[in-house]
C-alpha cells in the first residue's frame, strides 16, 4: 500500500496512541463445561452462564477457550488466506467485490468515512444468499447471491466452507448461553437464523508506514447479532471500555476466539447488553491477519426488543426495524464516502 494516501488519515481525535493499555480485563471464559461428555454439575453450568452474562453486560466482549473448534480447521483457513493475499493485486481483483457482487475481494473499504488500512475477502456461510439488488432503501428488488471463489489457492473454497460450519456451531452454543443469561429458554434465538445471511471475512492488514495516523478498521459497532473473531499473534484489536471510554488492547490468547455482542442483541435485550465500539490498530513492522464470523439473520427479520424483556417499568427502548433495509443503508458507506454518518441503532431509539 506504500505511501499514505490522505484518504487513510484519521481526524486527530480518532488517531491511535502508540503506547497503549493492555486489556487484561476482557474476560477469558472456559467453555469446557458445555463440551464435556462427563456430567457437568448444575453449579458449574450456572457459573458459566453467569460469566457470559457478566461479560456481555460489563464489556460487550469476551474471549473463549476450549470452544470445540478443531485447531486444524483454524490453521487451514489461516494458511489458505495468506496464500490468497500474497498474490498480485491483479489476481486478487479478479474476484473483486462491488455493489452487485457483495462477496469477494475488496481493498478500499471505508469506516466512518475514512479508508481502512486493510484488504479483505468475504464469503457467505450459507449460499446462495438473498440480498437487496441495490443500496437504495426504496428498492425492494432482491437478487440471489453466490460466493465468488478465486482459482488460487485451489483449497480456499472447501477450507472456508468447512470453517464456516464450525463457526455456525459455535455461534449457536454462544447464543444459548446468552439466552440463558437473560433468563430466556436456551433456544430462544435459534429461530431467527434459519435462513441466515452470516458471512466470514478474511482480513489482511499490511505494515503501515504511519500507524499513528491510520487505522486498520476505524471505530465502529457491529450491526449484526454476534461476532466470533480469530486473530493471529500480532494483535491490534482495541475495545472502548464502558467504564471510562479508554481504548484497551485485547492481548492475543493462543487458540482463543474473541466474541462480541452486536447491535441486534443490544436491541433484543432492550439495552441489558450493549454493542461496544472497537477498532483495529496497525503497525509499521508486521502484517496482521484476522478472521471474523458475523452472525446475521435473514433480511426479512424485524428486529425489536423481545416481549419477554419488556414491561411497564422497562418499556421497549427501540422502534422495530427491518434488518435488510438497515444493513442496506449501512453498506452504502463501505463503497464511497458519505456526507453524513451511516445509520446507527441509536437513531431508532424511542425518546423517553
Amino acid at each position: 500500500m506504500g505511501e499514505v494516501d490522505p484518504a487513510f488519515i484519521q481526524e486527530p481525535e480518532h488517531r491511535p496512541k502508540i503506547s497503549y493499555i493492555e486489556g487484561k480485563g476482557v474476560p477469558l471464559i472456559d467453555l469446557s463445561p458445555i463440551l464435556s461428555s462427563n456430567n457437568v454439575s448444575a453449579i458449574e453450568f450456572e457459573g458459566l452462564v453467569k460469566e457470559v452474562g457478566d461479560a456481555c453486560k460489563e464489556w460487550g466482549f469476551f474471549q473463549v477457550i476450549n470452544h470445540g473448534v478443531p485447531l486444524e480447521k483454524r490453521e487451514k483457513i489461516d494458511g489458505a488466506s495468506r496464500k490468497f493475499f500474497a498474490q498480485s493485486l491483479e489476481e486478487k481483483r479478479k474476484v473483486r467485490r462491488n455493489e452487485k457482487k457483495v462477496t469477494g475481494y475488496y481493498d478500499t473499504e471505508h469506516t466512518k468515512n475514512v479508508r481502512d488500512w486493510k484488504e479483505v475477502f468475504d464469503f457467505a456461510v450459507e449460499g446462495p444468499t438473498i440480498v437487496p439488488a441495490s443500496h437504495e432503501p426504496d428498492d425492494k428488488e432482491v437478487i440471489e447471491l453466490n460466493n465468488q471463489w478465486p482459482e488460487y489457492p485451489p483449497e480456499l473454497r472447501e477450507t472456508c466452507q468447512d470453517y464456516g460450519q464450525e463457526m455456525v456451531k459455535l455461534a449457536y452454543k454462544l447464543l444459548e448461553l446468552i439466552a440463558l443469561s437473560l433468563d430466556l429458554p436456551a433456544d430462544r434465538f435459534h429461530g431467527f437464523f434459519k435462513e441466515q445471511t452470516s458471512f466470514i471475512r478474511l482480513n489482511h492488514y499490511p505494515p503501515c508506514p504511519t500507524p499513528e495516523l491510520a487505522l486498520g478498521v476505524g471505530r465502529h459497532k457491529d450491526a449484526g447479532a454476534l461476532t466470533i473473531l480469530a486473530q493471529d499473534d500480532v494483535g491490534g484489536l482495541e475495545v472502548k471500555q464502558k467504564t471510562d471510554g479508554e481504548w484497551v488492547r485485547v492481548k492475543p490468547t493462543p487458540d482463543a476466539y474473541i466474541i462480541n455482542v452486536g447491535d441486534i442483541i443490544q436491541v433484543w435485550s432492550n439495552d441489558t447488553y450493549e454493542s461496544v465500539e472497537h477498532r483495529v490498530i496497525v503497525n509499521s513492522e508486521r502484517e496482521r491477519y484476522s478472521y471474523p464470523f458475523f452472525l446475521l439473520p435473514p433480511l426479512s427479520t424485524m428486529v425489536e426488543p423481545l416481549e419477554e424483556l419488556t414491561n411497564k417499568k422497562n418499556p421497549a427502548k427501540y422502534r422495530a426495524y427491518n434488518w435488510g433495509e438497515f444493513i442496506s443503508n449501512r453498506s452504502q458507506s463501505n463503497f464511497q464516502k458519505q456526507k453524513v454518518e451511516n445509520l446507527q441503532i441509536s437513531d431508532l431509539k424511542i425518546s423517553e
Side-chain angles (χ1 to χ4, degrees), residues 111-245:
T111 303
K112 306 281 187 193
N113 285 327
V114 182
R115 190 170 163 191
D116 295 327
W117 189 270
K118 67 175 180 183
E119 54 181 347
V120 307
F121 179 84
D122 291 341
F123 64 95
V125 170
E126 291 191 0
T129 306
I130 304 300
V131 297
S134 78
H135 294 307
E136 296 303 318
D138 297 330
D139 186 354
K140 302 300 178 194
E141 188 187 344
V142 293
I143 52 172
E144 186 177 278
L145 176 78
N146 291 290
N147 285 323
Q148 298 191 81
W149 296 107
E151 287 180 19
Y152 181 85
E155 71 272 20
L156 186 70
R157 180 176 187 160
E158 188 179 341
T159 298
C160 287
Q161 288 170 334
D162 285 353
Y163 186 78
Q165 291 315 302
E166 292 295 335
M167 290 298 96
V168 171
K169 283 192 278 187
L170 177 56
Y172 273 97
K173 288 172 191 163
L174 292 165
L175 281 178
E176 289 178 5
L177 291 168
I178 291 168
L180 290 167
S181 74
L182 291 164
D183 293 323
L184 298 167
D187 63 356
R188 178 63 177 91
F189 298 125
H190 288 197
F192 289 111
F193 299 99
K194 285 196 172 134
E195 293 177 351
Q196 58 187 272
T197 53
S198 304
F199 74 96
I200 289 176
R201 167 164 288 179
L202 311 181
N203 281 319
H204 174 225
Y205 302 94
C208 176
T210 53
E212 71 284 359
L213 297 178
L215 287 167
V217 185
R219 72 197 195 286
H220 68 286
K221 297 180 179 185
D222 290 351
L226 200 65
T227 304
I228 302 175
L229 174 76
Q231 65 168 348
D232 64 14
D233 63 344
V234 176
L237 175 67
E238 291 194 337
V239 175
K240 197 172 194 178
Q241 280 191 140
K242 288 175 69 174
T243 49
D244 57 11

Side-chain angles (χ1 to χ4, degrees), residues 20-282:
Y20 60 87
I21 307 165
E22 200 150 80
K24 289 176 183 162
V26 176
L28 182 66
I29 298 176
D30 185 345
L31 294 184
S32 52
I34 58 167
L35 300 173
S36 173
S37 53
N38 304 327
N39 289 332
V40 175
S41 72
I43 293 171
E44 233 183 321
F45 185 73
E46 284 164 17
L48 174 59
V49 169
K50 185 178 185 306
E51 270 190 282
V52 168
D54 289 348
C56 290
K57 193 173 285 186
E58 291 162 20
W59 281 90
F61 269 80
F62 55 97
Q63 297 193 73
V64 294
I65 54 171
N66 296 321
H67 40 66
V69 179
L71 181 59
E72 174 203 11
K73 301 242 168 141
R74 181 162 165 169
E75 287 172 340
K76 275 187 174 177
I77 199 167
D78 181 64
S81 175
R82 287 168 189 265
K83 284 184 190 174
F84 171 75
F85 287 120
Q87 296 181 102
S88 68
L89 194 55
E90 182 186 7
E91 280 303 311
K92 290 180 283 197
R93 283 185 170 169
K94 286 179 181 175
V95 287
R96 195 169 193 268
R97 201 177 93 189
N98 58 41
E99 290 189 49
K100 296 292 182 190
K101 295 177 180 175
V102 298
T103 64
Y105 175 78
Y106 203 58
D107 62 347
T108 54
E109 189 158 271
H110 290 67
T111 303
K112 306 281 187 193
N113 285 327
V114 182
R115 190 170 163 191
D116 295 327
W117 189 270
K118 67 175 180 183
E119 54 181 347
V120 307
F121 179 84
D122 291 341
F123 64 95
V125 170
E126 291 191 0
T129 306
I130 304 300
V131 297
S134 78
H135 294 307
E136 296 303 318
D138 297 330
D139 186 354
K140 302 300 178 194
E141 188 187 344
V142 293
I143 52 172
E144 186 177 278
L145 176 78
N146 291 290
N147 285 323
Q148 298 191 81
W149 296 107
E151 287 180 19
Y152 181 85
E155 71 272 20
L156 186 70
R157 180 176 187 160
E158 188 179 341
T159 298
C160 287
Q161 288 170 334
D162 285 353
Y163 186 78
Q165 291 315 302
E166 292 295 335
M167 290 298 96
V168 171
K169 283 192 278 187
L170 177 56
Y172 273 97
K173 288 172 191 163
L174 292 165
L175 281 178
E176 289 178 5
L177 291 168
I178 291 168
L180 290 167
S181 74
L182 291 164
D183 293 323
L184 298 167
D187 63 356
R188 178 63 177 91
F189 298 125
H190 288 197
F192 289 111
F193 299 99
K194 285 196 172 134
E195 293 177 351
Q196 58 187 272
T197 53
S198 304
F199 74 96
I200 289 176
R201 167 164 288 179
L202 311 181
N203 281 319
H204 174 225
Y205 302 94
C208 176
T210 53
E212 71 284 359
L213 297 178
L215 287 167
V217 185
R219 72 197 195 286
H220 68 286
K221 297 180 179 185
D222 290 351
L226 200 65
T227 304
I228 302 175
L229 174 76
Q231 65 168 348
D232 64 14
D233 63 344
V234 176
L237 175 67
E238 291 194 337
V239 175
K240 197 172 194 178
Q241 280 191 140
K242 288 175 69 174
T243 49
D244 57 11
E246 285 290 323
W247 288 103
V248 173
R249 185 81 53 98
V250 181
K251 185 180 179 182
T253 301
D255 195 31
Y257 283 99
I258 299 166
I259 316 300
N260 65 285
V261 299
D263 290 349
I264 290 178
I265 284 182
Q266 178 169 337
V267 172
W268 279 342
S269 74
N270 207 33
D271 280 354
T272 301
Y273 298 156
E274 189 182 334
S275 174
V276 171
E277 219 168 29
H278 50 288
R279 66 184 186 183
V280 175
I281 306 303
V282 285

